[in-house]
Amino acid sequence: MMPSRRALLSMDFGTPVPVADHWIRLQRTAMACRFTILLSGEDAHQVPAAQDELDEVERVEAALTVFREASDLVRLNRRAAAAPVAASPELFALLALCRELHAETEGAFDITSTPLSRCWGFLAREGRLPATEEIEAARALVGMDAVTLDASRRTVRFQRPGVELNLGSIGKGYALRRIGARLQGRGLGHALLSAAGSSVLAIGGRDGGWLIDVRSPQRPDRCLARLRLRNGALGTSGAGEQFVEVGGTRYGHVIDPRTGWPAQGVLSASVVHRDAALADALATAFCVGGPELARRYCATHPQTLALLTPSEGPVRTEVIGAYPGATLLEAAAA
Amino acid sequence: MNLTPEQQAVGRRNFLKALAGTPALAGLGVAAAARGPLRGGPVRIGFVGVGGQGGVLLEQLEPAYGEVRAVCDVNPAQLAKAAATLAKTGRPPARQYAEWRDLLQKEDVEAVIVAAPLWMHAEIVTGCLDAGRHVLCEKMMAWDVAGAEQMRDAAARNRRILEIGYQRFYNPMYQAAYDGIVQRGVLGEVYHARLAWHRNGNWRRSGTPPSPDYDPSRWGYPTFEHLLNWRLYWRYSKGLFAELGSHQISVANWFFGAAPEAVAASGGVQRFRDGREVYDHVYAMVDYPQGRTAVFSSIESNEFDGYYEMFMGTKGTLILKGEAEAYLFHEGKAGGPTTVEVSMKGPGPVLEASESRRADAAGAAGGRASVSERVDRLSPYRLEMAAFCSAVRVGTPIACGPERALASTRACVRANEAVAQKTRLAL
């Protein structure tokens, strides 16, 4: 007689303790990276819901990417210099958030920096050292001051031609925020969402939280930090794999929009925040602005935790601020 | 059977989607169905045969379920390995025997795990059952049908449990596939199954005798080589049909809900003409009632196809590959691109965060090496042993049992005869 699964599960083993010693990992490629939803075995009944919500990533991508001809953002970039362009409520709200973040990070987070990335060759993934004039020409196109958001009409207008918006440093976190909210709305209590490993969102978290290591591809031998995370997001940014080396100096692909030159001094910047979109954006901002900016920001924004590892000298991770759902188990010390 | 990554993604997603909302799905992520000490204490167990397969079962027996009192093997080297396994897993040493009858006489064991060479199954298992012991015997059930029937009768006569070690019956993935897809008719009408187990290598093993004066002839093996390579000689073995085919034919029997009616087969010693007797290439067409046919092939000259069971229905195709991966394809329908993987939990972090990487090596983590595994192939053995102990202690049902094992034994024994006679034989 073949026992049914129910019979197997109800076998008398004395004190039955339901054990789920497996992970279930759902993955989908979108936004040029891998989106993952990790569920514990006991939450297997949530697999269909998780699969449905991965569809949401594609919807977000269709709206926000600059790499698809038909995206809302591409349309906006093409026309907003000529006349105000109406944006969907979702896109408009996100752009408003980006403007706010630009101000709060003293210009370190800037969604208009695309001309600089192009000038340094990072858009084509072929980094090069541009001439000073090229950098200055690109800088002239950059700046949130050239972007006018009209909340009453929900329109976007560029004040000069050549302005380009790129949501690459907030889009993945934003997508996770969306999926996370929808999954929680469907009663999901525990899941770990991630995109490319650089954007992470923890829903719930058993046994003190999801155990996460922060690492850098530059220093694969070291764990920069180990933390347990409950109900919070982790964004990570770094100068990492894409760089250009000129005269012995290594220039990473994250460009400081304020100087026009690649950001220097930070190997890896991670931010833990309630909001996955903010965690993502702030990680980029702190990668650009360094520990000074992180300290100033965290001092005025409670419930923000920043982990910064400098690129020079021994690997040592500086811990700035705090987040109630994050327990730091380990931070690299020199 | 090789699928592109895209096809794998589609197939996995379809498989899970088909299980959505069924109890079958809940079982997928759960390898060990339950844990904890067995009421009444662990079952006192003796092992007869602790070579490759017996060694796996010894390792996978959780102490909460079974206490290893004694181990028996005609090869002292295997006894030493078994002792090392027990030590490695923190269990007390077991007494050692060369002769299984001594073990039965001297040890107060309730159950015996038999993993001796096939030709000894009937004698040892019947002896154990007649001595009032419960038995879990490795597959194939017996060297011939008469032996298997003798085992079945001995279990009934003595009112003892006899389970045969077809671990697929304890694999949550197979359970889920049967409950959630086959039973629910997701495949439509299924007329054909393909069973393949393709390898590229020599089945012959090499090794040195445990001591220069070791004499295996008292155990029925003229030379140590015969003991080591018992699988290659008809006196001890039924070849690929028994060692590999019986697993897959058992699954076909299970999913078709029937026993085969006839078998036609072909094969021979084609590649390794080194004095072996059993075939290194075999092919069988196994007919079931209602016009259903399974085709089994096992070859030792190419491994591209791998090993899998594939059920081809009017509405869909179910593929169970390598005991670890499941795919479902609907006839004439395209699917989406989500992949689903099941992996063991390990002690490490569940995720490695970092700046986004070009090739996206990041974010995959979950304990590095441990995550890349899919369903742990060993967990069905663990479940099998736990369920057997539970059956002994509290009478819960076993998954395979003598009747099912007999059905595949009949087909596999007959398949070898069909090869020899170059004909189709009724069952």
Side-chain angles (χ1 to χ4, degrees):
Chain A
M1 241 308 277
M2 176 64 214
S4 66
R5 170 130 300 277
R6 186 179 296 264
L8 262 180
L9 288 169
S10 63
M11 277 184 185
D12 184 356
F13 291 118
T15 11
V17 183
V19 168
D21 55 4
H22 279 68
W23 295 119
I24 302 172
R25 186 174 276 107
L26 294 95
Q27 298 186 326
R28 180 176 304 191
T29 301
M31 295 190 174
C33 74
R34 189 160 56 204
F35 275 76
T36 302
I37 297 180
L38 184 72
L39 300 173
S40 185
E42 61 260 52
D43 299 321
H45 61 284
Q46 295 283 9
V47 166
Q51 284 192 315
D52 286 351
E53 295 311 331
L54 278 173
D55 292 341
E56 175 71 5
V57 182
E58 294 189 1
R59 202 199 55 72
V60 172
E61 180 180 21
L64 303 187
T65 187
V66 292
F67 298 112
R68 282 191 193 176
E69 273 303 298
S71 87
D72 294 354
L73 195 63
V74 166
R75 198 171 45 83
L76 198 151
N77 276 340
R78 201 168 286 157
R79 299 183 191 159
V85 174
S88 67
E90 184 183 2
L91 180 58
F92 192 87
L94 184 57
L95 294 177
L97 174 65
C98 290
R99 168 184 289 292
E100 196 182 318
L101 281 167
H102 177 261
E104 290 183 344
T105 61
E106 304 161 16
F109 174 77
D110 192 333
I111 58 170
T112 67
S113 63
T114 299
L116 284 167
S117 298
R118 182 179 295 118
C119 152
W120 281 85
F122 292 123
L123 280 193
R125 294 191 181 277
E126 286 171 10
R128 66 190 189 97
L129 179 66
T132 313
E133 303 80 57
E134 287 180 86
I135 296 174
E136 288 312 311
R139 269 189 73 190
L141 301 173
V142 172
M144 280 304 279
D145 61 308
V147 180
T148 303
L149 302 178
D150 183 340
S152 60
R153 293 195 178 81
R154 228 174 51 223
T155 58
V156 183
R157 173 82 203 256
F158 298 157
Q159 296 306 321
R160 53 179 177 255
V163 174
E164 281 179 62
L165 303 183
N166 185 328
L167 297 169
S169 49
I170 195 169
K172 289 197 277 282
Y174 176 76
L176 291 188
R177 179 216 268 184
R178 298 273 316 186
I179 307 172
R182 292 169 64 109
L183 283 171
Q184 284 181 295
R186 294 176 72 155
L188 189 103
H190 301 278
L192 188 68
L193 283 55
S194 64
S198 60
S199 306
V200 178
L201 175 62
I203 298 175
R206 295 183 175 90
D207 307 323
W210 301 90
L211 185 63
I212 299 170
D213 278 0
V214 178
R215 306 186 85 95
S216 165
Q218 301 283 83
R219 293 301 301 265
D221 54 317
R222 295 294 300 267
C223 173
L224 305 184
R226 167 170 285 195
L227 64 154
R228 285 204 176 273
L229 185 58
R230 282 179 53 79
N231 294 318
L234 170 75
T236 301
S237 180
E241 286 186 318
Q242 273 208 71
F243 63 91
V244 52
E245 204 166 291
V246 182
T249 306
R250 193 169 166 139
Y251 297 102
H253 78 283
V254 177
I255 296 184
D256 186 340
R258 301 164 304 184
T259 64
W261 282 71
Q264 298 261 282
V266 177
L267 173 73
S268 174
S270 290
V271 173
V272 181
H273 192 277
R274 179 186 52 79
D275 184 334
L278 256 71
D280 220 3
L282 290 174
T284 304
F286 296 168
C287 190
V288 167
E292 295 78 16
L293 173 63
R295 284 187 214 110
R296 284 196 294 275
Y297 185 93
C298 292
T300 50
H301 296 80
Q303 307 205 353
T304 308
L305 168 67
L307 306 167
L308 267 72
T309 312
S311 53
E312 301 300 322
V315 175
R316 193 185 59 81
T317 299
E318 184 179 350
V319 182
I320 301 165
Y323 181 79
T327 311
L328 197 64
L329 303 177
E330 197 183 312
Chain B
M1 192 272 313
N2 289 279
L3 303 171
T4 64
E6 291 74 23
Q7 287 173 319
Q8 290 178 18
V10 171
R12 283 196 198 108
R13 174 170 136 149
N14 290 340
F15 181 75
L16 280 147
K17 276 220 157 165
L19 298 182
T22 71
L25 182 69
L28 250 193
V30 186
R35 268 190 197 159
L38 205 55
R39 190 177 295 158
V43 175
R44 301 184 303 279
I45 290 178
F47 275 74
V48 176
V50 283
Q53 201 58 31
V56 169
L57 296 179
L58 185 70
E59 195 172 60
Q60 295 301 319
L61 173 62
E62 293 182 78
Y65 294 107
E67 176 192 350
V68 185
R69 288 289 181 93
V71 294
C72 169
D73 203 294
V74 301
N75 182 349
Q78 303 293 12
L79 289 173
K81 265 192 213 162
T85 298
L86 288 174
K88 191 183 77 184
T89 49
R91 286 177 283 176
R95 274 177 295 279
Q96 303 186 341
Y97 295 88
E99 168 60 59
W100 62 271
R101 287 185 185 85
D102 291 345
L103 184 152
L104 279 191
Q105 253 173 22
K106 294 181 185 163
E107 296 292 337
D108 176 30
V109 295
E110 302 162 89
V112 180
I113 312 298
V114 179
L118 181 64
W119 70 307
M120 293 298 295
H121 282 189
E123 186 184 336
I124 297 173
V125 170
T126 305
C128 291
L129 292 166
D130 282 340
R133 270 59 177 234
H134 303 284
V135 176
L136 188 153
C137 177
E138 255 311 316
K139 48 90 322 235
M140 195 169 67
M141 190 172 179
W143 183 83
D144 61 1
V145 174
E149 288 173 345
Q150 185 191 320
M151 287 162 62
R152 174 198 60 191
D153 296 345
R157 182 170 66 237
N158 294 294
R159 296 171 179 272
R160 286 295 174 270
I161 293 161
L162 172 58
E163 176 61 310
I164 309 299
Y166 288 109
Q167 75 275 3
R168 282 167 175 74
F169 288 100
Y170 290 95
N171 186 322
M173 187 182 83
Y174 283 78
Q175 297 265 355
Y178 180 72
D179 294 344
I181 290 174
V182 174
Q183 282 282 74
R184 288 171 59 225
V186 173
L187 300 180
E189 298 159 39
V190 183
Y191 294 103
H192 182 40
R194 184 184 296 157
L195 316 171
W197 205 316
H198 290 190
R199 310 182 295 187
N200 189 353
N202 196 336
W203 216 6
R204 181 176 290 284
R205 296 174 184 189
S206 57
T208 48
S211 60
D213 60 344
Y214 180 71
D215 176 17
S217 64
R218 59 180 289 218
W219 314 112
Y221 306 92
T223 68
F224 180 70
E225 194 277 324
H226 282 79
L227 171 58
L228 195 63
N229 286 305
W230 63 268
R231 289 175 186 79
L232 303 184
Y233 302 98
W234 289 126
R235 185 180 170 196
Y236 320 113
S237 168
K238 289 292 182 184
L240 293 169
F241 282 128
E243 298 303 313
L244 305 182
S246 72
H247 276 295
Q248 298 188 312
I249 289 172
S250 290
V251 172
N253 295 354
W254 175 14
F255 284 15
F256 280 157
E261 291 180 325
V263 57
S266 174
V269 183
Q270 319 291 19
R271 182 184 184 193
F272 297 105
R273 297 163 187 265
D274 55 4
R276 76 183 56 194
E277 296 165 2
V278 309
Y279 312 131
D280 56 14
H281 288 69
V282 294
Y283 315 87
M285 280 192 288
V286 186
D287 292 336
Y288 289 83
Q290 292 148 23
R292 295 169 296 176
T293 299
V295 171
F296 168 75
S297 62
S298 183
I299 66 174
E300 306 214 300
S301 54
N302 178 290
E303 63 184 11
F304 184 68
D305 215 20
Y307 78 103
Y308 59 89
E309 298 94 43
M310 182 191 289
F311 292 85
M312 295 171 239
T314 52
K315 291 185 186 163
T317 303
L318 170 68
I319 302 171
L320 301 168
K321 187 174 184 198
E323 299 177 64
E325 296 163 53
Y327 306 102
L328 174 68
F329 298 95
H330 299 289
E331 285 286 286
K333 247 201 247 172
T338 302
T339 71
V340 180
E341 283 179 14
V342 179
S343 62
M344 289 297 286
K345 283 185 182 173
V350 294
L351 188 120
E352 286 178 358
S354 77
E355 62 184 272
S356 56
R357 300 180 188 189
R358 201 181 313 184
D360 186 24
R368 298 216 151 190
S370 71
V371 266
S372 59
E373 297 166 3
R374 298 179 200 285
V375 174
D376 174 11
R377 276 196 55 215
L378 291 176
S379 63
Y381 292 105
R382 207 157 57 227
L383 261 179
E384 177 182 272
M385 297 294 277
F388 173 68
C389 291
S390 175
V392 168
R393 183 59 81 237
V394 293
T396 46
I398 50 175
C400 179
E403 286 303 336
R404 279 171 181 269
L406 243 169
S408 58
T409 300
R410 283 197 186 94
C412 291
V413 168
R414 210 72 170 131
N416 277 321
E417 294 169 7
V419 175
Q421 297 176 28
K422 299 187 187 305
T423 186
R424 178 176 187 271
L425 298 173
L427 279 155

